[in-house]
Amino acid sequence: MAKVYQATGKRKSSIAKVTMTNGSGKITVNGRDVREYFPFETLVMDLEQPLELTGTKELFDIDCSVKGGGFRGQSGAIRLGITKALLVYDTATKDSENSLRKPLKVNGMITRDARVKERKKYGLKKARRAPQFSKR
């Protein structure tokens, strides 16, 4: 039976559940191929970044289930989920010199980007944009 590594990633209002199994490097998002799901190649490159940094791109098949937000937030959530799944896979060597954690940490993959949209306040047009002031 193949080993399964699971993790969850979040970004803005997107939540991604990532399941990583031993395989050939195929990535599916919501049952579709990653290049078919995301309209821009830069988003695909962005979510593949943790795999390229650790040199594990051809080792795992990744199945993602993602909800909420737009394409950018979803790719960021998947990227964090893949990073966390790699850390679960790497628990045996986490304290050694050839740990996968080191290159991921240096390149900022482990940290969750906590920036979310600020709420609109009453009396304002947007979160901070006030109505135009007229002196006369």
Side-chain angles (χ1 to χ4, degrees):
M1 186 171 156
K3 268 286 218 182
V4 177
Y5 308 98
Q6 291 182 319
T8 305
K10 295 180 182 181
R11 169 82 169 98
K12 291 189 174 183
S13 61
S14 301
I15 300 171
K17 292 177 185 143
V18 176
T19 306
M20 198 168 72
T21 54
N22 293 330
S24 59
K26 198 175 89 170
I27 302 174
T28 56
V29 180
N30 292 345
R32 291 161 52 189
D33 182 60
V34 69
R35 282 172 172 67
E36 185 185 315
Y37 186 81
F38 287 112
F40 308 111
E41 189 62 31
T42 53
L43 296 176
V44 177
M45 288 168 43
D46 184 42
L47 71 88
E48 288 177 342
Q49 226 173 357
L51 298 169
E52 289 173 6
L53 287 170
T54 56
T56 55
K57 194 170 182 182
E58 304 298 320
L59 290 178
F60 300 107
D61 283 342
I62 296 170
D63 185 42
C64 309
S65 170
V66 66
K67 286 185 201 173
F71 290 123
R72 178 78 200 149
Q74 287 184 352
S75 74
I78 292 170
R79 183 174 86 168
L80 184 61
I82 290 171
T83 302
K84 285 182 171 182
L86 284 169
L87 293 176
V88 170
Y89 160 74
D90 194 44
T91 51
T93 60
K94 68 179 177 184
D95 296 326
S96 70
E97 197 62 36
N98 55 356
S99 170
L100 296 181
R101 185 177 173 84
K102 204 167 244 179
L104 292 171
K105 181 84 171 159
V106 169
N107 289 286
M109 299 288 145
I110 294 173
T111 310
R112 188 235 197 257
D113 192 344
R115 295 175 296 174
V116 292
K117 186 171 175 146
E118 191 175 332
R119 79 170 204 85
K120 184 192 176 299
K121 280 77 168 192
Y122 59 87
L124 301 181
K125 291 183 180 284
K126 290 167 50 177
R128 299 185 183 198
R129 169 76 173 100
Q132 187 171 350
F133 174 74
S134 175
K135 208 173 217 180
R136 286 170 199 77

